[in-house]
Amino acid sequence: MKFVKENLVLVVGLTVPVLLMAGFLAVSALPDGLSDPPQYDLVFTTNDYPSTPVPITVRLIVKNGALVAQYSRPPGQQGSYGAWKKLYVYEASPRRVRQLTLGFPTDMATLEGTREEAVASAAQFKLDTTLQSPDGYELSYGDRRGGGLLLEIFGGSRGYEPRLRKGTRSVPLTGGTGQPSFDYGGVEFVGWVTARNTARLRLAKTAFDCLPSGQALP
Amino acid sequence: MTAKHDALVEVVDLITRHGLTLDDVSAALAGKDGYAAQRSSSIVSRIFAYLGGTFVFVGLGIFVGMRWDDLGPAGRVLLTLGPGLCLFVLALVCTTDARVEGAATPLFLVAGLVQPTGILVMLREYGRGGEVEHAVLFMSVVMLVQQACTFWARRRTVLAFTSVVFWSMAVVVSFDLLDANMYAAGVATGVSLLCIGWSLDRSPHRAIAGLVYFFGAALLLEETYGWLRREPLEILFLGAACGVVVLAAVARSRSLLVVGTAGLVGYIADFIYRHFADNLGAPLALMAIGLVFLGLGAAAVRINTQYIAGQPPARSAGQP
């Protein structure tokens, strides 16, 4: 007690951050219902860098709520690096990121011009390309609130990670330990999942299984 | 208050804090042989200690770098954590012998750099994955406990410095892991560092108070500005910057004054450019306000010395 009296300023200095940490810990322990977490899944992409040159490029676009891969061969291009995409879905309920399959088309070597094909792994999603989700969240990148000088001095990569933001509340797009990290990773928005169509998934799977490999869906 | 008064206050403060007697001060002022010899040997031993510490550190770094790929996990840990612990023990031994006491400070500093590296290498080699932030938090807490306990026992300024560094590191990484609002985290860390600086300023470890004050105030103002920028409460930043200037005057700290003034100047310039970009009256009005402040300051000193403190105002040399 004598030490506290003699070093009151020091004790205050050591206590302030600890109290604030306790406050943040208490807030993070609140039930999700009180903190208004994101309700909608988000489909997004990052750049992929295959080890072998890819002769075509891919663009992912949303047509009538369905995800479509648009393959094209730029005129005169023999091969390029970094032309492919990795496809992910952020699942709001378990708060985790899952990678979806986006392979190369089997007719990649002979493909001419531009061809569109539904992405089978995302066939179940009905997507909305409005930047803001129906519950008000938006994808923001590298704008974690604060920590400029703090993170410059002591390091920390979380200041640059993509987040879902709604007003002052934000949720990191990484799913924690064992999940992929997208710091500095160029996350690109594709769309919010507003509905899941299981019938559409079955139809896409059937169509995918029946078609000769590499042929486009009608 | 004149520069002479400032110096006198400083001298009295130093004498009280270090428990010096007037005889000690007189002997040092008179330049007696013992004092002169002590001063000269202290400088020489310090130079050799700095050079020695640097050579050991650089040599070790180059050696480890050359052999790194050929080493197994145990070898890597032994080559980083091992020397770190050895240097720390050596530094502790140095503090017990007056002849080599000068070497303790650089040894503690080098140990404070090598040991964390060793702990991180150990976690990387034998850890089971996980986030980097957890490893950094573990390292900074272990180092904080070690450095703070040793500081408690030996009362060395260098250990106070390393304790403050590892404390700040642990606090920042904890906030980062808690996914906290880093503006609030920055303000809290800034306030914490200012309080620690205040305590250091009133202890025998005053040498590092300026540095701690500087980073504390810079963090506080930078995060406050980032938080309130373009918000209705932005004007509160002006209050924070003025608070730092007031604290500078109370604590008699130049580093606080530099940070506080820079914050004030930056904010006022930004404000004028934003709101009065083409209005020449604004900077002129600002100059007029500044002159009024200077006049008020001088009047306040005169009133204090003449009517409150009960002393005549100081006259400059040459005046009757």
Side-chain angles (χ1 to χ4, degrees):
Chain A
M1 205 60 195
K2 190 186 166 199
F3 175 83
V4 176
K5 272 185 184 171
E6 284 175 359
N7 300 281
L8 192 61
V9 179
L10 179 66
V11 172
V12 168
L14 298 179
T15 314
V16 165
V18 177
L19 284 179
L20 192 66
M21 271 180 225
F24 280 117
L25 211 57
V27 169
S28 66
L30 285 176
D32 271 354
L34 293 174
S35 57
D36 186 21
Q39 301 293 323
Y40 291 86
D41 295 354
L42 170 74
V43 176
F44 63 94
T45 62
T46 60
N47 285 326
D48 190 17
Y49 303 95
S51 52
T52 51
V54 183
I56 60 171
T57 60
V58 62
R59 269 184 69 211
L60 292 169
I61 52 175
V62 177
K63 277 192 171 176
N64 299 324
L67 185 63
V68 172
Q70 194 177 65
Y71 305 116
S72 58
R73 182 190 296 276
Q77 182 161 339
Q78 295 301 314
S80 64
Y81 290 94
W84 214 248
K85 299 282 182 192
K86 276 185 177 172
L87 185 62
Y88 296 95
V89 59
Y90 171 78
E91 294 175 326
S93 180
R95 287 197 192 176
R96 68 173 183 193
V97 174
R98 186 162 60 86
Q99 188 171 2
L100 301 173
T101 313
L102 182 67
F104 301 121
T106 47
D107 60 340
M108 184 165 69
T110 56
L111 192 144
E112 291 297 333
T114 301
R115 184 165 69 75
E116 289 183 357
E117 186 177 294
V119 178
S121 59
Q124 58 181 314
F125 302 140
K126 182 170 170 48
L127 297 173
D128 180 1
T129 53
T130 311
L131 290 178
Q132 196 174 62
S133 70
D135 60 347
Y137 275 90
E138 267 186 76
L139 175 67
S140 62
Y141 191 74
D143 70 343
R144 178 161 183 197
R145 292 174 70 80
L149 184 62
L150 209 62
L151 295 176
E152 288 298 326
I153 297 172
F154 296 106
S157 56
R158 290 164 175 241
Y160 307 100
E161 69 187 0
R163 303 176 80 84
L164 298 180
R165 175 171 300 288
K166 179 185 179 182
T168 54
R169 177 166 173 72
S170 78
V171 179
L173 210 55
T174 44
T177 308
Q179 293 284 311
S181 165
F182 304 106
D183 305 338
Y184 312 101
V187 167
E188 286 175 27
F189 172 84
V190 173
W192 297 99
V193 180
T194 52
R196 283 172 186 260
N197 189 343
T198 49
R200 190 191 286 218
L201 174 66
R202 273 200 300 274
L203 182 70
K205 272 186 177 169
T206 314
F208 191 75
D209 292 340
C210 292
L211 284 171
S213 64
Q215 189 172 333
L217 285 170
Chain B
M1 202 174 265
T2 62
K4 232 179 199 176
H5 281 113
D6 276 349
L8 203 57
V9 170
E10 200 108 326
V11 168
V12 171
D13 194 26
L14 280 171
I15 289 171
T16 324
R17 203 174 320 119
H18 294 279
L20 298 171
T21 61
L22 284 177
D23 291 339
D24 295 336
V25 179
S26 309
L29 282 174
K32 285 185 179 166
D33 289 349
Y35 170 73
Q38 204 175 23
R39 188 178 175 186
S40 142
S41 66
S42 157
I43 290 170
V44 171
S45 82
R46 204 173 293 175
I47 288 170
F48 277 107
Y50 289 158
L51 286 176
T54 310
F55 287 173
V56 168
F57 188 62
V58 172
L60 182 71
I62 292 171
F63 177 74
V64 171
M66 287 165 78
R67 304 284 301 163
W68 193 253
D69 291 336
D70 306 328
L71 296 167
R76 287 175 181 174
V77 174
L78 277 175
L79 262 183
T80 47
L81 191 57
L85 284 171
C86 290
L87 286 167
F88 182 70
V89 173
L90 201 61
L92 279 177
V93 171
C94 285
T95 57
T96 60
D97 190 336
R99 289 170 301 169
V100 285
E101 205 180 357
T105 300
L107 284 174
F108 272 127
L109 273 178
V110 178
L113 278 172
V114 178
Q115 283 186 106
T117 314
I119 293 173
L120 290 177
V121 169
M122 184 184 72
L123 291 174
R124 184 179 173 156
E125 297 295 339
Y126 294 109
R128 296 179 185 171
E131 291 185 58
V132 177
E133 284 86 350
H134 286 123
V136 177
L137 180 63
F138 175 80
M139 176 276 289
S140 44
V141 169
V142 168
M143 288 303 298
L144 173 64
V145 170
Q146 185 204 55
Q147 301 291 307
C149 290
T150 319
F151 169 69
W152 193 262
R154 300 294 161 117
R155 304 283 169 182
R156 306 276 309 193
T157 302
V158 65
L159 292 169
F161 172 74
T162 48
S163 301
V164 172
V165 169
F166 289 115
W167 158 258
S168 310
M169 203 179 280
V171 165
V172 171
V173 177
S174 302
F175 278 126
D176 200 27
L177 280 170
L178 284 169
D179 199 25
N181 178 333
M182 292 306 277
Y183 289 131
V187 170
T189 313
V191 169
S192 170
L193 285 176
L194 285 177
C195 291
I196 293 170
W198 178 274
S199 300
L200 288 169
D201 204 7
R202 274 137 194 81
S203 74
H205 314 290
R206 196 184 184 191
I208 57 167
L211 198 64
V212 178
Y213 271 146
F214 181 85
F215 281 108
L219 259 183
L220 176 69
L221 293 186
E222 195 255 357
E223 295 298 322
T224 309
Y225 184 67
W227 203 356
L228 303 175
R229 193 166 182 261
R230 309 291 186 261
E231 300 283 342
L233 293 175
E234 190 189 80
I235 197 76
L236 287 181
F237 173 80
L238 206 58
C242 288
V244 171
V245 174
V246 170
L247 189 63
V250 176
R252 311 175 74 81
S253 164
R254 286 186 198 92
S255 53
L256 276 179
L257 190 63
V258 166
V259 177
T261 314
L264 269 179
V265 168
Y267 180 77
I268 292 169
D270 180 50
F271 188 86
I272 286 179
Y273 272 111
R274 254 192 297 150
H275 298 286
F276 307 101
D278 301 318
N279 186 353
L280 282 176
L284 292 174
L286 195 67
M287 284 163 64
I289 293 170
L291 289 173
V292 170
F293 274 13
L294 288 173
L296 280 176
V301 171
R302 189 165 284 271
I303 290 165
N304 177 51
T305 48
Q306 211 159 16
Y307 301 107
I308 301 172
Q311 294 166 356
R315 289 180 189 280
S316 57
Q319 278 188 314

PDB file of all heavy atoms in Angstrom, chain B residues 66-94:
ATOM      1  N   MET B  66      26.291 -17.158 -40.996  1.00  0.00           N
ATOM      2  CA  MET B  66      27.072 -18.030 -41.873  1.00  0.00           C
ATOM      3  C   MET B  66      26.739 -19.501 -41.663  1.00  0.00           C
ATOM      4  O   MET B  66      26.810 -20.305 -42.579  1.00  0.00           O
ATOM      5  CB  MET B  66      28.573 -17.787 -41.640  1.00  0.00           C
ATOM      6  CG  MET B  66      29.057 -16.448 -42.209  1.00  0.00           C
ATOM      7  SD  MET B  66      30.668 -15.985 -41.574  1.00  0.00           S
ATOM      8  CE  MET B  66      31.739 -16.993 -42.535  1.00  0.00           C
ATOM      9  N   ARG B  67      26.394 -19.859 -40.442  1.00  0.00           N
ATOM     10  CA  ARG B  67      26.188 -21.278 -40.124  1.00  0.00           C
ATOM     11  C   ARG B  67      24.714 -21.660 -40.059  1.00  0.00           C
ATOM     12  O   ARG B  67      24.389 -22.815 -39.781  1.00  0.00           O
ATOM     13  CB  ARG B  67      26.839 -21.586 -38.765  1.00  0.00           C
ATOM     14  CG  ARG B  67      28.297 -21.257 -38.655  1.00  0.00           C
ATOM     15  CD  ARG B  67      29.175 -22.255 -39.370  1.00  0.00           C
ATOM     16  NE  ARG B  67      28.996 -23.603 -38.840  1.00  0.00           N
ATOM     17  CZ  ARG B  67      29.373 -24.699 -39.475  1.00  0.00           C
ATOM     18  NH1 ARG B  67      29.901 -24.603 -40.673  1.00  0.00           N
ATOM     19  NH2 ARG B  67      29.198 -25.888 -38.937  1.00  0.00           N
ATOM     20  N   TRP B  68      23.817 -20.698 -40.282  1.00  0.00           N
ATOM     21  CA  TRP B  68      22.384 -20.903 -39.994  1.00  0.00           C
ATOM     22  C   TRP B  68      21.792 -22.115 -40.723  1.00  0.00           C
ATOM     23  O   TRP B  68      21.116 -22.951 -40.130  1.00  0.00           O
ATOM     24  CB  TRP B  68      21.607 -19.644 -40.360  1.00  0.00           C
ATOM     25  CG  TRP B  68      20.213 -19.645 -39.826  1.00  0.00           C
ATOM     26  CD1 TRP B  68      19.057 -19.816 -40.534  1.00  0.00           C
ATOM     27  CD2 TRP B  68      19.813 -19.475 -38.461  1.00  0.00           C
ATOM     28  NE1 TRP B  68      17.975 -19.765 -39.705  1.00  0.00           N
ATOM     29  CE2 TRP B  68      18.408 -19.558 -38.422  1.00  0.00           C
ATOM     30  CE3 TRP B  68      20.508 -19.279 -37.271  1.00  0.00           C
ATOM     31  CZ2 TRP B  68      17.680 -19.438 -37.242  1.00  0.00           C
ATOM     32  CZ3 TRP B  68      19.783 -19.162 -36.088  1.00  0.00           C
ATOM     33  CH2 TRP B  68      18.390 -19.249 -36.089  1.00  0.00           C
ATOM     34  N   ASP B  69      22.053 -22.230 -42.044  1.00  0.00           N
ATOM     35  CA  ASP B  69      21.437 -23.300 -42.830  1.00  0.00           C
ATOM     36  C   ASP B  69      21.952 -24.675 -42.445  1.00  0.00           C
ATOM     37  O   ASP B  69      21.282 -25.684 -42.674  1.00  0.00           O
ATOM     38  CB  ASP B  69      21.675 -23.050 -44.328  1.00  0.00           C
ATOM     39  CG  ASP B  69      20.889 -21.836 -44.793  1.00  0.00           C
ATOM     40  OD1 ASP B  69      19.874 -21.515 -44.140  1.00  0.00           O
ATOM     41  OD2 ASP B  69      21.295 -21.202 -45.779  1.00  0.00           O
ATOM     42  N   ASP B  70      23.156 -24.732 -41.884  1.00  0.00           N
ATOM     43  CA  ASP B  70      23.739 -26.041 -41.528  1.00  0.00           C
ATOM     44  C   ASP B  70      23.289 -26.506 -40.146  1.00  0.00           C
ATOM     45  O   ASP B  70      23.599 -27.622 -39.734  1.00  0.00           O
ATOM     46  CB  ASP B  70      25.282 -25.959 -41.532  1.00  0.00           C
ATOM     47  CG  ASP B  70      25.791 -25.416 -42.858  1.00  0.00           C
ATOM     48  OD1 ASP B  70      25.118 -25.687 -43.870  1.00  0.00           O
ATOM     49  OD2 ASP B  70      26.827 -24.728 -42.869  1.00  0.00           O
ATOM     50  N   LEU B  71      22.597 -25.639 -39.428  1.00  0.00           N
ATOM     51  CA  LEU B  71      22.246 -25.980 -38.039  1.00  0.00           C
ATOM     52  C   LEU B  71      20.887 -26.646 -37.955  1.00  0.00           C
ATOM     53  O   LEU B  71      19.990 -26.363 -38.749  1.00  0.00           O
ATOM     54  CB  LEU B  71      22.218 -24.705 -37.186  1.00  0.00           C
ATOM     55  CG  LEU B  71      23.533 -23.971 -37.014  1.00  0.00           C
ATOM     56  CD1 LEU B  71      23.273 -22.593 -36.428  1.00  0.00           C
ATOM     57  CD2 LEU B  71      24.458 -24.758 -36.108  1.00  0.00           C
ATOM     58  N   GLY B  72      20.756 -27.522 -36.963  1.00  0.00           N
ATOM     59  CA  GLY B  72      19.446 -28.111 -36.685  1.00  0.00           C
ATOM     60  C   GLY B  72      18.676 -27.207 -35.742  1.00  0.00           C
ATOM     61  O   GLY B  72      19.200 -26.172 -35.310  1.00  0.00           O
ATOM     62  N   PRO B  73      17.445 -27.599 -35.390  1.00  0.00           N
ATOM     63  CA  PRO B  73      16.645 -26.761 -34.481  1.00  0.00           C
ATOM     64  C   PRO B  73      17.352 -26.479 -33.156  1.00  0.00           C
ATOM     65  O   PRO B  73      17.382 -25.331 -32.699  1.00  0.00           O
ATOM     66  CB  PRO B  73      15.379 -27.597 -34.261  1.00  0.00           C
ATOM     67  CG  PRO B  73      15.293 -28.497 -35.433  1.00  0.00           C
ATOM     68  CD  PRO B  73      16.690 -28.763 -35.868  1.00  0.00           C
ATOM     69  N   ALA B  74      17.939 -27.519 -32.561  1.00  0.00           N
ATOM     70  CA  ALA B  74      18.595 -27.327 -31.257  1.00  0.00           C
ATOM     71  C   ALA B  74      19.785 -26.374 -31.390  1.00  0.00           C
ATOM     72  O   ALA B  74      19.999 -25.498 -30.544  1.00  0.00           O
ATOM     73  CB  ALA B  74      19.055 -28.668 -30.712  1.00  0.00           C
ATOM     74  N   GLY B  75      20.539 -26.528 -32.488  1.00  0.00           N
ATOM     75  CA  GLY B  75      21.698 -25.667 -32.720  1.00  0.00           C
ATOM     76  C   GLY B  75      21.290 -24.215 -32.866  1.00  0.00           C
ATOM     77  O   GLY B  75      21.945 -23.307 -32.339  1.00  0.00           O
ATOM     78  N   ARG B  76      20.212 -23.991 -33.597  1.00  0.00           N
ATOM     79  CA  ARG B  76      19.740 -22.611 -33.803  1.00  0.00           C
ATOM     80  C   ARG B  76      19.327 -21.968 -32.481  1.00  0.00           C
ATOM     81  O   ARG B  76      19.629 -20.807 -32.225  1.00  0.00           O
ATOM     82  CB  ARG B  76      18.550 -22.622 -34.769  1.00  0.00           C
ATOM     83  CG  ARG B  76      18.972 -22.902 -36.189  1.00  0.00           C
ATOM     84  CD  ARG B  76      17.797 -23.041 -37.111  1.00  0.00           C
ATOM     85  NE  ARG B  76      18.264 -23.336 -38.464  1.00  0.00           N
ATOM     86  CZ  ARG B  76      17.480 -23.627 -39.474  1.00  0.00           C
ATOM     87  NH1 ARG B  76      16.178 -23.664 -39.303  1.00  0.00           N
ATOM     88  NH2 ARG B  76      17.976 -23.879 -40.656  1.00  0.00           N
ATOM     89  N   VAL B  77      18.634 -22.751 -31.658  1.00  0.00           N
ATOM     90  CA  VAL B  77      18.201 -22.206 -30.367  1.00  0.00           C
ATOM     91  C   VAL B  77      19.419 -21.937 -29.482  1.00  0.00           C
ATOM     92  O   VAL B  77      19.526 -20.885 -28.839  1.00  0.00           O
ATOM     93  CB  VAL B  77      17.218 -23.182 -29.678  1.00  0.00           C
ATOM     94  CG1 VAL B  77      16.884 -22.710 -28.277  1.00  0.00           C
ATOM     95  CG2 VAL B  77      15.947 -23.303 -30.504  1.00  0.00           C
ATOM     96  N   LEU B  78      20.351 -22.895 -29.486  1.00  0.00           N
ATOM     97  CA  LEU B  78      21.546 -22.736 -28.641  1.00  0.00           C
ATOM     98  C   LEU B  78      22.369 -21.524 -29.064  1.00  0.00           C
ATOM     99  O   LEU B  78      22.935 -20.827 -28.226  1.00  0.00           O
ATOM    100  CB  LEU B  78      22.404 -23.991 -28.713  1.00  0.00           C
ATOM    101  CG  LEU B  78      21.977 -25.130 -27.789  1.00  0.00           C
ATOM    102  CD1 LEU B  78      22.828 -26.360 -28.032  1.00  0.00           C
ATOM    103  CD2 LEU B  78      22.087 -24.698 -26.316  1.00  0.00           C
ATOM    104  N   LEU B  79      22.425 -21.272 -30.378  1.00  0.00           N
ATOM    105  CA  LEU B  79      23.256 -20.164 -30.873  1.00  0.00           C
ATOM    106  C   LEU B  79      22.616 -18.791 -30.708  1.00  0.00           C
ATOM    107  O   LEU B  79      23.263 -17.775 -30.913  1.00  0.00           O
ATOM    108  CB  LEU B  79      23.583 -20.391 -32.349  1.00  0.00           C
ATOM    109  CG  LEU B  79      24.952 -21.007 -32.615  1.00  0.00           C
ATOM    110  CD1 LEU B  79      25.198 -21.129 -34.094  1.00  0.00           C
ATOM    111  CD2 LEU B  79      26.069 -20.199 -31.965  1.00  0.00           C
ATOM    112  N   THR B  80      21.337 -18.761 -30.401  1.00  0.00           N
ATOM    113  CA  THR B  80      20.676 -17.455 -30.216  1.00  0.00           C
ATOM    114  C   THR B  80      20.308 -17.224 -28.749  1.00  0.00           C
ATOM    115  O   THR B  80      20.730 -16.243 -28.145  1.00  0.00           O
ATOM    116  CB  THR B  80      19.414 -17.357 -31.098  1.00  0.00           C
ATOM    117  OG1 THR B  80      18.642 -18.552 -30.946  1.00  0.00           O
ATOM    118  CG2 THR B  80      19.760 -17.167 -32.539  1.00  0.00           C
ATOM    119  N   LEU B  81      19.540 -18.179 -28.202  1.00  0.00           N
ATOM    120  CA  LEU B  81      19.126 -18.010 -26.805  1.00  0.00           C
ATOM    121  C   LEU B  81      20.312 -18.191 -25.850  1.00  0.00           C
ATOM    122  O   LEU B  81      20.423 -17.498 -24.835  1.00  0.00           O
ATOM    123  CB  LEU B  81      18.013 -19.019 -26.479  1.00  0.00           C
ATOM    124  CG  LEU B  81      17.277 -18.823 -25.167  1.00  0.00           C
ATOM    125  CD1 LEU B  81      16.662 -17.444 -25.079  1.00  0.00           C
ATOM    126  CD2 LEU B  81      16.179 -19.872 -25.000  1.00  0.00           C
ATOM    127  N   GLY B  82      21.206 -19.116 -26.206  1.00  0.00           N
ATOM    128  CA  GLY B  82      22.370 -19.394 -25.343  1.00  0.00           C
ATOM    129  C   GLY B  82      23.208 -18.158 -25.091  1.00  0.00           C
ATOM    130  O   GLY B  82      23.392 -17.737 -23.930  1.00  0.00           O
ATOM    131  N   PRO B  83      23.744 -17.529 -26.151  1.00  0.00           N
ATOM    132  CA  PRO B  83      24.542 -16.312 -25.931  1.00  0.00           C
ATOM    133  C   PRO B  83      23.752 -15.210 -25.227  1.00  0.00           C
ATOM    134  O   PRO B  83      24.306 -14.453 -24.435  1.00  0.00           O
ATOM    135  CB  PRO B  83      24.917 -15.876 -27.343  1.00  0.00           C
ATOM    136  CG  PRO B  83      24.804 -17.098 -28.157  1.00  0.00           C
ATOM    137  CD  PRO B  83      23.730 -17.932 -27.559  1.00  0.00           C
ATOM    138  N   GLY B  84      22.471 -15.130 -25.521  1.00  0.00           N
ATOM    139  CA  GLY B  84      21.633 -14.109 -24.876  1.00  0.00           C
ATOM    140  C   GLY B  84      21.625 -14.286 -23.370  1.00  0.00           C
ATOM    141  O   GLY B  84      21.846 -13.322 -22.614  1.00  0.00           O
ATOM    142  N   LEU B  85      21.406 -15.518 -22.942  1.00  0.00           N
ATOM    143  CA  LEU B  85      21.386 -15.787 -21.497  1.00  0.00           C
ATOM    144  C   LEU B  85      22.770 -15.572 -20.884  1.00  0.00           C
ATOM    145  O   LEU B  85      22.896 -15.040 -19.778  1.00  0.00           O
ATOM    146  CB  LEU B  85      20.908 -17.223 -21.249  1.00  0.00           C
ATOM    147  CG  LEU B  85      19.394 -17.450 -21.424  1.00  0.00           C
ATOM    148  CD1 LEU B  85      19.058 -18.934 -21.376  1.00  0.00           C
ATOM    149  CD2 LEU B  85      18.607 -16.701 -20.359  1.00  0.00           C
ATOM    150  N   CYS B  86      23.815 -16.017 -21.632  1.00  0.00           N
ATOM    151  CA  CYS B  86      25.193 -15.833 -21.129  1.00  0.00           C
ATOM    152  C   CYS B  86      25.495 -14.343 -20.939  1.00  0.00           C
ATOM    153  O   CYS B  86      26.079 -13.941 -19.914  1.00  0.00           O
ATOM    154  CB  CYS B  86      26.203 -16.431 -22.102  1.00  0.00           C
ATOM    155  SG  CYS B  86      26.145 -18.215 -22.119  1.00  0.00           S
ATOM    156  N   LEU B  87      25.114 -13.547 -21.933  1.00  0.00           N
ATOM    157  CA  LEU B  87      25.368 -12.103 -21.846  1.00  0.00           C
ATOM    158  C   LEU B  87      24.621 -11.496 -20.660  1.00  0.00           C
ATOM    159  O   LEU B  87      25.155 -10.621 -19.956  1.00  0.00           O
ATOM    160  CB  LEU B  87      24.905 -11.413 -23.139  1.00  0.00           C
ATOM    161  CG  LEU B  87      25.783 -11.615 -24.359  1.00  0.00           C
ATOM    162  CD1 LEU B  87      25.069 -11.152 -25.619  1.00  0.00           C
ATOM    163  CD2 LEU B  87      27.092 -10.846 -24.191  1.00  0.00           C
ATOM    164  N   PHE B  88      23.418 -11.978 -20.441  1.00  0.00           N
ATOM    165  CA  PHE B  88      22.621 -11.456 -19.327  1.00  0.00           C
ATOM    166  C   PHE B  88      23.284 -11.782 -17.994  1.00  0.00           C
ATOM    167  O   PHE B  88      23.415 -10.908 -17.115  1.00  0.00           O
ATOM    168  CB  PHE B  88      21.211 -12.051 -19.405  1.00  0.00           C
ATOM    169  CG  PHE B  88      20.285 -11.545 -18.334  1.00  0.00           C
ATOM    170  CD1 PHE B  88      19.835 -10.240 -18.340  1.00  0.00           C
ATOM    171  CD2 PHE B  88      19.880 -12.385 -17.308  1.00  0.00           C
ATOM    172  CE1 PHE B  88      18.994  -9.772 -17.349  1.00  0.00           C
ATOM    173  CE2 PHE B  88      19.033 -11.929 -16.310  1.00  0.00           C
ATOM    174  CZ  PHE B  88      18.590 -10.617 -16.328  1.00  0.00           C
ATOM    175  N   VAL B  89      23.736 -13.039 -17.854  1.00  0.00           N
ATOM    176  CA  VAL B  89      24.397 -13.446 -16.602  1.00  0.00           C
ATOM    177  C   VAL B  89      25.700 -12.653 -16.429  1.00  0.00           C
ATOM    178  O   VAL B  89      26.023 -12.185 -15.331  1.00  0.00           O
ATOM    179  CB  VAL B  89      24.668 -14.976 -16.612  1.00  0.00           C
ATOM    180  CG1 VAL B  89      25.506 -15.388 -15.419  1.00  0.00           C
ATOM    181  CG2 VAL B  89      23.353 -15.733 -16.630  1.00  0.00           C
ATOM    182  N   LEU B  90      26.437 -12.490 -17.547  1.00  0.00           N
ATOM    183  CA  LEU B  90      27.692 -11.732 -17.509  1.00  0.00           C
ATOM    184  C   LEU B  90      27.438 -10.295 -17.055  1.00  0.00           C
ATOM    185  O   LEU B  90      28.190  -9.734 -16.248  1.00  0.00           O
ATOM    186  CB  LEU B  90      28.297 -11.740 -18.910  1.00  0.00           C
ATOM    187  CG  LEU B  90      29.791 -11.459 -19.024  1.00  0.00           C
ATOM    188  CD1 LEU B  90      30.588 -12.496 -18.266  1.00  0.00           C
ATOM    189  CD2 LEU B  90      30.205 -11.464 -20.493  1.00  0.00           C
ATOM    190  N   ALA B  91      26.364  -9.718 -17.579  1.00  0.00           N
ATOM    191  CA  ALA B  91      26.005  -8.342 -17.195  1.00  0.00           C
ATOM    192  C   ALA B  91      25.686  -8.268 -15.707  1.00  0.00           C
ATOM    193  O   ALA B  91      26.088  -7.319 -15.015  1.00  0.00           O
ATOM    194  CB  ALA B  91      24.821  -7.865 -18.015  1.00  0.00           C
ATOM    195  N   LEU B  92      24.982  -9.296 -15.218  1.00  0.00           N
ATOM    196  CA  LEU B  92      24.653  -9.330 -13.783  1.00  0.00           C
ATOM    197  C   LEU B  92      25.922  -9.405 -12.942  1.00  0.00           C
ATOM    198  O   LEU B  92      26.041  -8.739 -11.907  1.00  0.00           O
ATOM    199  CB  LEU B  92      23.771 -10.546 -13.477  1.00  0.00           C
ATOM    200  CG  LEU B  92      22.282 -10.415 -13.785  1.00  0.00           C
ATOM    201  CD1 LEU B  92      21.571 -11.721 -13.489  1.00  0.00           C
ATOM    202  CD2 LEU B  92      21.653  -9.296 -12.965  1.00  0.00           C
ATOM    203  N   VAL B  93      26.877 -10.231 -13.414  1.00  0.00           N
ATOM    204  CA  VAL B  93      28.146 -10.365 -12.688  1.00  0.00           C
ATOM    205  C   VAL B  93      28.888  -9.025 -12.684  1.00  0.00           C
ATOM    206  O   VAL B  93      29.469  -8.620 -11.672  1.00  0.00           O
ATOM    207  CB  VAL B  93      29.005 -11.492 -13.318  1.00  0.00           C
ATOM    208  CG1 VAL B  93      30.400 -11.511 -12.727  1.00  0.00           C
ATOM    209  CG2 VAL B  93      28.324 -12.842 -13.134  1.00  0.00           C
ATOM    210  N   CYS B  94      28.859  -8.344 -13.824  1.00  0.00           N
ATOM    211  CA  CYS B  94      29.552  -7.054 -13.944  1.00  0.00           C
ATOM    212  C   CYS B  94      29.021  -6.029 -12.933  1.00  0.00           C
ATOM    213  O   CYS B  94      29.772  -5.161 -12.478  1.00  0.00           O
ATOM    214  CB  CYS B  94      29.414  -6.489 -15.353  1.00  0.00           C
ATOM    215  SG  CYS B  94      30.450  -7.329 -16.536  1.00  0.00           S
TER     216      CYS B  94
END
